[in-house]
Amino acid sequence: MFGIFRTMLAINVVLLHIFNIPTIGNYSVSLFFILSGFLMSLIMHKTYGYNLNGFKVFWINRGLRLYPIYFVIIILTIITITYFPYIVRHPAIFLPKTFLEWSSNFTMLYPNIVPHRFEPRIVPPSWALTNELFFYVLISLGISKSFKRTLIWFIISVLYFVFTYKFYDLATFRYSAIPAASLPFSIGALLFWLSQKNKVKLKPNYYLVFGSLILFYLNSIYGKNLGDVSIYLNMLIGAFIVFELYKIKNSKFFKVDKYIGFYSYPIYLSHFVVCILFLEFSDVGNTVKSFKLNLESMPFYLLILFIINFLLVHIIDINLDRVKSNLKKKKL
């Protein structure tokens, strides 16, 4: 039952990028990584397996999940900034000039250990997909194939963070750098093994889920008083939320949860281009000389965001989901 949770995290990123509500989006990205580490380890063990055929089907399905909707959004963004070149927008949004820039943008593989430093990024949040893809490769090759491997991975990830404090104390290298994503991914993978070792006790506690979500938001808003402790508290809270949500097997809500989950990825990718369109056709809540919006524009912006993503989900995502399901049935 992760669909609603994923879409909630995507909306948190929108609140940071578009409405300048601090921290909540950054912390949500870390939770995305924890969830990915958990889910990718889970499906490699339970669905695909560690053989050549499983590896191949895994990557076909990952490609179908990540790229078609991304291509639509990047092309829409290119058209938008071509026709409305004077609209103030995210500074990374401009047209590439070299083959490397074009290929990096269309593959979401940015050649920088800190992917968000690479420019241009026509779809700015796509930097996180470089990190995701890197660890998808490692997981599909077996880095979390056993508990022992996963534990070693986690320890190395912790040591990396210790290293940054000792020798290279920059927050960027503990957030958006590729090796920084290793810690939340490894936490997610450890959660998978924890869930397998405690099957008898897997009974959901809804009060704990809601309480943990509230704690997540409180930590995001007030955690700056704790310094970097807030970062690791966020990961701990996120791990607990993921573990508790995994316990929920209520079939009554499964279809609703899955449907809402379809909106997570397109919302995450499209919110900047929607903002450009909003700024072109509306004066509500515009911040002078900024691509940020005031809170008064939130209902109107979110309505447009929902309409565009409704079309993306129903034209692309739902149909591709059927293709992926059929592929798994035929090939596995």
Side-chain angles (χ1 to χ4, degrees), residues 98-164:
T98 68
F99 175 78
L100 176 64
E101 290 174 350
W102 279 108
S103 60
S104 298
N105 272 273
F106 271 88
T107 59
M108 295 187 286
L109 297 173
Y110 299 110
N112 193 313
I113 195 169
V114 184
H116 92 265
R117 288 182 174 177
F118 186 89
E119 294 184 356
R121 295 190 320 281
I122 300 171
V123 181
S126 59
W127 68 264
L129 275 300
T130 298
N131 295 16
E132 291 265 353
L133 288 163
F134 180 85
F135 288 101
Y136 288 175
V137 170
L138 293 184
I139 290 172
S140 65
L141 291 174
I143 195 171
S144 58
K145 188 177 180 180
S146 68
F147 175 75
K148 183 178 179 180
R149 289 187 189 183
T150 308
L151 184 60
I152 293 171
W153 174 21
F154 170 74
I155 292 170
I156 292 172
S157 303
V158 171
L159 291 175
Y160 165 78
F161 271 70
V162 173
F163 175 87
T164 64

Side-chain angles (χ1 to χ4, degrees), residues 30-65:
S30 295
L31 266 60
F32 267 127
F33 290 158
I34 291 172
L35 182 57
S36 289
F38 178 85
L39 289 176
M40 294 306 107
S41 298
L42 176 69
I43 63 176
M44 283 304 299
H45 280 85
K46 303 295 185 180
T47 304
Y48 296 102
Y50 294 94
N51 53 62
L52 183 59
N53 184 59
F55 181 86
K56 180 178 70 175
V57 178
F58 169 83
W59 276 105
I60 292 173
N61 275 349
R62 283 296 88 201
L64 289 171
R65 172 63 181 144

Side-chain angles (χ1 to χ4, degrees), residues 59-78:
W59 276 105
I60 292 173
N61 275 349
R62 283 296 88 201
L64 289 171
R65 172 63 181 144
L66 297 178
Y67 284 102
I69 206 157
Y70 175 73
F71 290 151
V72 171
I73 291 170
I74 193 173
I75 291 169
L76 175 61
T77 307
I78 291 170

